[in-house]
Amino acid sequence: MVRLTGHGVFLDRSGELLDGALCPDVPEGRTRTMTYGILKEHNQSGDMENLRLKFDALVSPDNNYVNILQTARAGGLRKFPVPYVLSNCHHTLCAVGGTINEDDHVFGLGNAKKYGGIFVPPYRAVLHQYMREMMAGGGKMILGSDSHTRYGALGTMGIGEGGGEVAKQLLGRTYDLKYPPVVAVKLTGAPRPGVGPQDVALALVAATFGNGFNKNKVLEFVGSGIANLSMEYRMGIDVMTTESAALSSVWCTDEKTEEYLEEHGRGGDYRKMGPKDGAYYDAMIEIDLSEVECMIALPFHPSNAMPIREFKENAADILRAVEAEGQKIKGSAGEPFSLMSHIRNGEFYADQALVSGCSGGMFENIAAMADILKGCTVPGNGISLGVNPASLPVMEDLMNQGIAAELAVCGVTMRPAICGPCFGVTDVPADNQISIRHVTRNYPNREGSKPGQGQMAAACLMDARSIAATVRNGGRLTAATELDVSYREAKHRFDPKIYANQVFDRFGKGDESEKLTMGPNIADWPKMERLGKHLLLRVTGSYRGSVTTDELVPSGEASSFRSNPEKISGYMMISRNPDYVNRAKEARRLERERMMNPVAFSGEPKLDGLLRALAEECGCAVRDITFGGVMASDQIGDGSSREQAASSQKVLGGFANLAGEYATKRYRSNLINWGLLPLRAENRTELPVGTYLFLRDIRKKIEEGAEQVELDVLTEDGSVTGKIPCTLDTLTDDERRILTSGCLINYYAGEQGPAEKPNDTGELNDTGETNDKGKRNDTGGLNDAKETK
């Protein structure tokens, strides 16, 4: 089904292996890929090994655009230099916190008016569907502050990053990285009826995530199998490449691509794209589409995927293992986590079914579900099925063609165009229930349950077709290929008037006089301290295995407080380690009190003694030693691009992470932009909470470009009990300056100085409220007197 080749290969323009005698050398072969051509067009450095990229468009959802806009405004934003789409699809239906979600939407619209942006109001589109329909095109690059920023099927390289990277683009800066490895994904054959794009995607993720095959690489889809896939099918595979840890993706384009763009009024954005003969790839993945089976990704990761057939053959043993893993996540709160009750008479049954968002909510998926459910009724006393179309144009066409009516008669509920179920802000299952979903992720508690409160549910990922087949059979797990279904030739008809009449587009026509309305939850960033000569760290969290971004800052209810740095930081690690926040806050309190004390000691005797001993040894003042928290784990940062996973660590006084590896480039970028040292130690020792670690002359080492540093493991009297060799890996000049400045906001403030009158203290109190409303603080808080709070 999926075959991996871990060494370099040369391909011809059709995706076939090239005869050795016809192969160019490797450097020349690299220039013959689609990736090279796109990156060269967007590179500002003139050096293709060290890229400095500018993008054609930007996009952010409402769960992070406020923070991005605050950061960019602190850096001197005057207008959006490229089209910047502000989408309102993540939190639209989440009422937690009263007015705060709509307050953010009002703030986003005001920024679109002031700086010349594109504002997609609530319920009109999931951000990635809008970008496919209206922005992506051949040879373009789009940067988004959502990890599933993928538009490769249209010939666009999309990259999902943290908000700091989007803020840099808004300020005319570049996205800097080494030239990435490029992997060919060769598709052959054609999928069988009932096998959908999620099945192909899960097969790809299962084969490549665990071994790091695609990590931080660009995937180029080539081969004869592409022609056998519709555009929506290609998009459904493409958006899930994020779950394989790939950096980006791009596909060969053809007449189907051209037709799609013409239907959306953008025929001029089509570009015929493909590799040239002799294109060199660092590795290759081969997928025979005719061999792909209907898949299921079991909790708690998309890579935990296997054919439904295989799962059903050994469901009890597999579920016991999942149940045990879930019990570790849940801990001792409430009743034990139980899944075995979902096996009845040897068959696996689900409780809830959902098809939603950028991966599931496309027209063809929903039409295929109607075909499978024809003549079926979804009763009110069993499994339920909800559908969120990916955009209002998709919803309108489903209604016009009668497909939505067919589903309604069957008992399927049609919902607005939002990301809700995928993000855990709607449709949370009951305790111990199983939800089957065509969405992008099934991480622990991503479906919205709260183990700290004794709640634990779980989600399995499946394609919409097998979800419909399972619902048809009363919740009994059923692969769509098990049913004999006559699928209609459904074709989506896009109505451009919907966006023309309802989307606010003022790109290039900003009004500087526009006043911004800032709701009571929109708070300034607290003051971030610069990095001192030396760094003393206290371990505030130590874990084994992977720490995901959903665990660092959970999705769902907690992220409603995304625009208030102090409030959202209070949710850090709450689903996995509820004590983390209190430990981190205590370390932050000690450092703040020390910085305010003329003697520059913390008031905690043991810590004071350690600081004195270190200062004496280093021949420096105690105030030259920065004190902060550090989180340690084997792997940190798998999952979402949400910058709050890093900014919240900084708000809580963090100054570093220590990991065997960082799951994605975007998480490492977030750490750097928030002034957290991304320390990597492949063979770190066990570090209990409370352990002290010391980095000598760290500021100087970073300024001089050192990649290797050494952590001293200390006792409370300053004695060294061990050393941990670490690497910072390669840092750009800007990244080194950001780290020594303490964060991206400080870096920009140091370059330009505050644009407006500083706040009295520039800090937030523990409730997250500013100390002096109506003014802008010296770290980039934005309550200027011309705006309402």
Side-chain angles (χ1 to χ4, degrees):
M1 188 161 56
V2 180
R3 177 185 173 190
L4 306 182
T5 299
H7 57 74
V9 297
F10 289 90
L11 302 181
D12 66 19
R13 66 184 61 197
S14 65
E16 297 299 320
L17 286 170
L18 197 64
D19 182 270
L22 301 176
C23 296
D25 59 24
V26 169
E28 171 61 25
R30 291 188 192 279
T31 70
R32 300 186 181 188
T33 63
M34 292 180 281
T35 299
Y36 186 91
I38 295 173
L39 292 176
K40 184 176 182 180
E41 287 184 14
H42 292 82
N43 183 31
Q44 310 296 304
S45 71
D47 176 4
M48 287 300 291
E49 291 302 313
N50 297 286
L51 302 171
R52 298 175 67 87
L53 303 173
K54 285 193 175 182
F55 292 79
D56 299 294
L58 309 170
V59 62
S60 293
D62 54 344
N63 68 319
N64 57 38
Y65 66 54
V66 172
N67 294 155
I68 294 167
L69 292 165
Q70 293 279 63
T71 302
R73 295 182 67 223
L77 176 67
R78 291 293 175 264
K79 67 176 181 178
F80 295 156
V82 296
Y84 184 26
V85 176
L86 304 179
S87 170
N88 298 277
C89 53
H90 273 57
H91 284 280
T92 305
L93 282 178
C94 184
V96 175
T99 69
I100 61 178
N101 289 306
E102 191 59 24
D103 288 340
D104 282 2
H105 298 165
V106 169
F107 181 69
L109 178 58
N111 277 265
K113 293 177 179 179
K114 189 179 187 73
Y115 300 113
I118 300 170
F119 185 83
V120 182
Y123 308 120
R124 272 60 169 195
V126 170
L127 75 162
H128 301 309
Q129 182 69 7
Y130 180 83
M131 299 304 284
R132 295 165 183 153
E133 291 171 339
M134 301 303 294
M135 302 298 292
K140 292 185 179 182
M141 291 195 75
I142 294 176
L143 182 69
S145 56
D146 183 275
S147 56
H148 293 100
T149 303
R150 291 286 189 272
Y151 317 117
L154 291 165
T156 294
M157 284 183 63
I159 296 178
E161 264 285 1
E165 295 301 324
V166 175
K168 289 178 183 177
Q169 292 287 312
L170 291 174
L171 295 171
R173 305 304 179 98
T174 56
Y175 178 71
D176 304 340
L177 76 162
K178 294 285 187 181
Y179 189 87
V182 183
V183 177
V185 183
K186 181 181 176 182
L187 303 180
T188 58
R192 290 174 286 166
V195 173
Q198 184 82 327
D199 297 316
V200 179
L202 291 177
L204 171 65
V205 173
T208 57
F209 176 81
N211 55 21
F213 198 84
N214 293 345
K215 184 177 178 180
N216 296 329
K217 300 172 184 176
V218 177
L219 304 185
E220 275 201 16
F221 285 80
V222 300
S224 59
I226 292 177
N228 298 322
L229 304 178
S230 69
M231 287 306 300
E232 286 197 349
Y233 205 113
R234 299 177 199 182
M235 292 170 184
I237 298 171
D238 187 60
V239 73
M240 288 294 291
T241 60
T242 295
E243 301 311 319
S244 74
L247 175 72
S248 186
S249 58
V250 65
W251 293 54
C252 293
T253 61
D254 56 18
E255 64 277 359
K256 291 182 181 179
T257 319
E258 185 174 21
E259 180 184 17
Y260 178 91
L261 289 168
E262 288 178 346
E263 289 173 346
H264 288 76
R266 300 190 296 112
D269 288 335
Y270 173 71
R271 182 189 295 186
K272 176 67 174 175
M273 295 175 59
K276 299 175 183 176
D277 285 337
Y280 177 81
Y281 296 93
D282 297 277
M284 181 169 67
I285 302 166
E286 296 174 87
I287 303 177
D288 184 343
L289 296 168
S290 65
E291 294 182 358
V292 175
E293 298 183 59
C294 295
M295 303 286 288
I296 181 170
L298 295 160
F300 294 94
H301 197 277
S303 64
N304 192 19
M306 64 188 71
I308 291 175
R309 169 193 53 78
E310 183 179 320
F311 171 69
K312 291 171 72 172
E313 290 171 356
N314 198 23
D317 289 343
I318 294 169
L319 272 190
R320 286 191 190 98
V322 174
E323 191 176 76
E325 184 179 355
Q327 189 59 53
K328 291 178 183 178
I329 296 167
K330 184 176 185 180
S332 59
E335 297 296 319
F337 179 53
S338 173
L339 290 181
M340 296 306 296
S341 61
H342 289 80
I343 298 181
R344 305 168 201 158
N345 299 320
E347 298 279 0
F348 175 76
Y349 283 80
D351 304 292
Q352 180 200 63
L354 295 162
V355 174
S356 176
C358 58
S359 64
M362 288 182 277
F363 180 88
E364 291 173 9
N365 291 334
I366 300 170
M369 293 173 69
D371 293 332
I372 292 169
L373 291 168
K374 187 175 182 180
C376 169
T377 298
V378 182
N381 63 346
I383 188 169
S384 60
L385 174 57
V387 175
N388 294 86
S391 70
L392 192 56
V394 171
M395 173 74 91
E396 182 263 354
D397 197 23
L398 289 168
M399 292 189 292
N400 276 348
Q401 296 196 39
I403 297 170
E406 294 174 28
L407 290 168
V409 169
C410 289
V412 178
T413 57
M414 302 294 288
R415 286 85 175 281
I418 60 170
C419 303
C422 182
F423 199 54
V425 297
T426 64
D427 300 286
V428 182
D431 186 44
N432 283 334
Q433 281 196 350
I434 286 282
S435 179
I436 52 175
R437 303 183 169 197
H438 190 158
V439 295
T440 57
R441 289 195 172 125
N442 62 335
Y443 291 173
N445 314 112
R446 175 90 176 189
E447 78 298 314
S449 61
K450 296 177 172 58
Q453 298 179 21
Q455 308 170 3
M456 189 72 184
C460 300
L461 301 185
M462 293 165 52
D463 187 81
R465 293 153 187 80
S466 290
I467 288 174
T470 299
V471 170
R472 183 179 183 90
N473 281 337
R476 176 170 58 85
L477 182 63
T478 306
T481 50
E482 296 177 43
L483 304 181
D484 184 12
V485 178
S486 177
Y487 293 98
R488 75 190 83 186
E489 291 291 330
K491 183 173 177 57
H492 175 39
R493 295 188 291 269
F494 175 78
D495 186 347
K497 295 192 297 296
I498 293 175
Y499 290 150
N501 295 336
Q502 300 178 41
V503 171
F504 178 84
D505 186 348
R506 194 183 274 181
F507 173 61
K509 300 175 184 177
D511 181 357
E512 292 185 3
S513 68
E514 184 72 33
K515 293 181 172 60
L516 301 182
T517 300
M518 300 175 67
N521 184 64
I522 299 177
D524 298 339
W525 289 108
K527 184 177 181 180
M528 310 288 187
E529 297 295 339
R530 291 169 58 85
L531 182 65
K533 291 181 180 179
H534 315 284
L535 179 59
L536 176 63
L537 298 166
R538 177 190 282 175
V539 177
T540 50
S542 184
Y543 312 98
R544 282 296 179 188
S546 173
V547 178
T548 70
T549 53
D550 275 79
E551 291 171 322
L552 288 164
V553 173
S555 56
E557 174 185 323
S559 60
S560 297
F561 299 105
R562 62 203 173 270
S563 304
N564 189 310
E566 185 70 31
K567 285 184 179 179
I568 194 168
S569 69
Y571 287 86
M572 277 211 74
M573 297 297 290
I574 194 169
S575 65
R576 180 163 176 176
N577 186 353
D579 295 330
Y580 174 84
V581 169
N582 288 335
R583 289 197 298 265
K585 281 188 174 181
E586 176 61 14
R588 180 185 68 176
R589 181 188 67 79
L590 292 171
E591 178 66 357
R592 285 183 173 179
E593 290 181 0
R594 186 173 75 91
M595 295 302 291
M596 295 173 66
N597 190 322
V599 184
F601 293 118
S602 72
E604 183 182 281
K606 292 181 179 179
L607 177 58
D608 292 347
L610 179 56
L611 287 166
R612 287 190 184 94
L614 292 172
E616 183 177 352
E617 179 189 341
C618 294
C620 67
V622 173
R623 64 175 58 88
D624 292 328
I625 303 174
T626 298
F627 173 64
V630 59
M631 179 182 291
S633 189
D634 299 309
Q635 184 195 74
I636 309 179
D638 183 24
S640 163
S641 63
R642 68 188 72 155
E643 66 174 314
Q644 296 97 334
S647 65
S648 292
Q649 291 181 66
K650 184 68 172 184
V651 168
L652 291 175
F655 262 91
N657 274 10
L658 177 62
E661 65 171 331
Y662 294 101
T664 60
K665 179 195 177 298
R666 58 182 174 269
Y667 177 71
R668 183 174 178 273
S669 296
N670 282 340
L671 292 179
I672 293 168
N673 286 330
W674 287 104
L676 291 146
L677 304 185
L679 301 171
R680 188 170 59 82
E682 295 181 359
N683 298 305
R684 74 175 180 87
T685 57
E686 191 66 35
L687 292 172
V689 168
T691 302
Y692 286 104
L693 306 172
F694 190 54
L695 280 165
R696 303 167 190 273
D697 298 312
I698 184 61
R699 184 181 183 88
K700 181 179 179 182
K701 289 176 181 177
I702 292 174
E703 289 173 340
E704 292 178 348
E707 293 187 16
Q708 304 300 318
V709 296
E710 194 170 59
L711 280 167
D712 289 344
V713 184
L714 304 178
T715 62
E716 291 179 345
D717 66 0
S719 301
V720 179
T721 62
K723 293 182 178 292
I724 304 176
C726 300
T727 180
L728 288 165
D729 294 312
T730 303
L731 296 167
T732 67
D733 290 343
D734 279 352
E735 287 175 336
R736 290 197 296 270
R737 295 185 188 110
I738 291 166
L739 285 172
T740 56
S741 297
C743 66
L744 183 66
I745 292 175
N746 288 0
Y747 173 48
Y748 287 146
E751 284 188 329
Q752 302 177 26
E756 301 165 33
K757 184 178 178 180
N759 182 317
D760 288 347
T761 65
E763 299 187 13
L764 295 175
N765 61 31
D766 281 348
T767 64
E769 299 297 328
T770 52
N771 292 327
D772 183 9
K773 293 184 179 181
K775 299 177 183 178
R776 174 175 179 162
N777 68 28
D778 61 355
T779 64
L782 296 162
N783 300 354
D784 72 57
K786 296 179 181 178
E787 299 169 2
T788 59
K789 178 74 173 176

